[in-house]
Amino acid sequence: VEQFLALTEPSISDPDTLSEGLDLYGGEFLPWCDSDWSQELRASLEQRFVQALHRAGRSYEELERYPDALRVYGRALALDPLDEAATAGLMRCHIAQGNRAAAIDSYQRTRQRLSDDLGLAPDPDSELEQIYLQIARAVR
């Protein structure tokens, strides 16, 4: 846990360092323990994990290491299939690689999950919608 926390410090932006820390995360901390302290630590570690996933994905994107970014965003979506920021990251990477169809597929899957699970649609001003509209305008 200490090593995970050290490698995923909020000040760290190097994606390879973050990925090293992310690889240490083994899922829920002490899942069999229901005490208050373990639940708080569990939630804190998961939040740190998700934040580090997003930072690593963005950093990989900035370095144009799109396959690495796609892998990291995929991990975020495996944890939370409704993660709009991770879906937007996937879409940006697919577009950068010239794969608009994969970007649209990512958008549609998340939009369908939001509708099925929560009865919602992405906010019209969200990054997810803006990227989708950008793709739709480019196709015309």
Side-chain angles (χ1 to χ4, degrees):
V1 171
E2 289 176 7
Q3 193 173 12
F4 166 76
L5 291 172
L7 293 170
T8 59
E9 272 293 321
S11 61
I12 295 174
S13 62
D14 175 62
D16 293 324
T17 301
L18 289 168
S19 286
E20 185 180 339
L22 292 168
D23 289 343
L24 295 172
Y25 186 79
E28 286 188 356
F29 180 75
L30 301 177
W32 60 88
C33 185
D34 287 332
S35 66
D36 289 342
W37 72 267
S38 65
Q39 290 177 359
E40 289 175 24
L41 182 55
R42 185 179 307 126
S44 174
L45 292 171
E46 184 175 313
Q47 182 179 20
R48 172 75 73 94
F49 178 68
V50 171
Q51 290 169 347
L53 284 168
H54 286 260
R55 283 197 330 274
R58 275 291 197 180
S59 294
Y60 280 134
E61 278 186 75
E62 290 169 6
L63 295 170
E64 298 180 4
R65 292 174 57 184
Y66 302 115
D68 292 322
L70 288 168
R71 177 182 48 80
V72 170
Y73 289 132
R75 286 181 75 181
L77 286 167
L79 186 64
D80 178 8
L82 301 175
D83 186 335
E84 290 186 51
T87 300
L90 279 178
M91 292 174 71
R92 287 190 306 270
C93 291
H94 287 308
I95 291 167
Q97 292 181 313
N99 193 347
R100 286 193 303 231
I104 291 169
D105 183 59
S106 297
Y107 168 81
Q108 289 175 335
R109 275 185 281 133
T110 296
R111 185 176 175 91
Q112 189 64 50
R113 284 185 187 118
L114 285 168
S115 176
D116 291 349
D117 294 356
L118 303 175
L120 299 173
D123 185 296
D125 295 328
S126 72
E127 182 180 15
L128 193 65
E129 283 294 312
Q130 296 306 310
I131 294 170
Y132 178 74
L133 291 173
Q134 179 185 20
I135 295 169
R137 281 188 220 112
V139 172
R140 291 181 189 165

